[in-house]
Structure formats: C-alpha cells, structure tokens
Amino acid sequence: MSTLIINNRQYKGKLDKRAVLKTVCAGFQETTEPTVCLSEDMETNECLKNNGGCWPDKKANITACKDTFRGMVCECPLVEGVQFKGDGYSNCEAAGPGRCKINNRGYKMHRTKLHSLQTSRKTVEEQEIG
C-alpha cells in the first residue's frame, strides 16, 4: 500500500497523479499557488462568469478578479506597471505616475497634439491681451 505525507497529512492507498497534485495545491496560501494548480483540469476559473462579482473595466478589458485554487479574490490589479487602488469589488482606480497610459483615461495625448493644444491656448491668450 502506497503512503504519502503532504503538509503533515498521511494519504494511503491508490495515489493517482491528479489527486496528489490537488492535495499539494491545497497546501498553498491563496494567490501564491503555482500556475499548474490553476490549470483547467485542476480547478474552475470563477472569474470567467461575471468577473467573479469583482470590479471590471470593460473598455480596457481588465478586472479585479484573481483566480485561485480555492476560488477567487477581488484584488485591484497591477497593469502595465500601474497599480490600481480600491476595494476590488465596486471600484479600482489607476494610481501613480503611469496611470495616464491605462485606457486613455483622458490624460494621454501625443506630444504633437499636446504641443498644438498649448500653442492654440497661447494664441488665444495673446489675442485676448492684445
């Protein structure tokens, strides 16, 4: 009879690969499990249905839903080096200096467009003064 000890628990009898791997995956703290534990044949991705109930940004195609072996957690994401801040359920906002590059939040402009805008404003100001 085969015996295996994982996380101080003893398993005896027929040990198939999937059962052993699931037991190993269950020993990881949520959000720290290796990607093999998140494969389709190991668990169900709860984030696929309605973003798991977490905050979504449909325009940028990002969500706060993070799949885990035991289920999912709502955690504001890190996208393109920009950390989102919020509760993960109803809101997440891009924070920090790189926030403007996410989803063209109204801040991002090409340098030429920004220069043209500044030049136009200057011209209007000069006309108002002169």
Side-chain angles (χ1 to χ4, degrees):
M1 183 181 293
S2 301
T3 302
L4 179 65
I5 299 173
I6 301 174
N7 298 327
N8 294 324
R9 293 190 133 172
Q10 198 175 79
Y11 297 87
K12 291 184 179 185
K14 185 177 179 202
L15 301 174
D16 78 307
K17 180 173 58 174
R18 190 165 184 241
V20 171
L21 187 54
K22 277 190 168 207
T23 304
V24 170
C25 291
F28 284 91
Q29 203 172 23
E30 207 161 27
T31 73
T32 66
E33 59 273 288
T35 49
V36 69
C37 296
L38 301 175
S39 66
E40 218 174 271
D41 59 328
M42 290 298 294
E43 61 92 41
T44 302
N45 186 346
E46 288 82 4
C47 295
L48 296 177
K49 185 177 180 183
N50 196 30
N51 295 305
C54 301
W55 168 87
D57 183 334
K58 293 178 181 166
K59 188 174 180 182
N61 195 28
I62 55 178
T63 180
C65 191
K66 185 172 183 180
D67 187 35
T68 68
F69 181 72
R70 290 181 187 83
M72 45 66 67
V73 293
C74 294
E75 187 177 271
C76 292
L78 175 67
V79 179
E80 296 179 29
V82 177
Q83 180 64 59
F84 281 70
K85 304 281 185 186
D87 66 10
Y89 292 93
S90 61
N91 73 325
C92 288
E93 291 290 324
R99 71 184 180 279
C100 299
K101 68 181 176 180
I102 302 296
N103 198 17
N104 277 342
R105 297 260 183 226
Y107 309 109
K108 184 178 179 181
M109 289 188 195
H110 295 305
R111 289 181 195 267
T112 54
K113 187 175 179 183
L114 180 59
H115 179 71
S116 297
L117 183 62
Q118 289 170 340
T119 304
S120 299
R121 284 186 185 154
K122 188 175 179 183
T123 305
V124 169
E125 287 170 6
E126 287 172 352
Q127 287 174 355
E128 288 175 355
I129 294 171

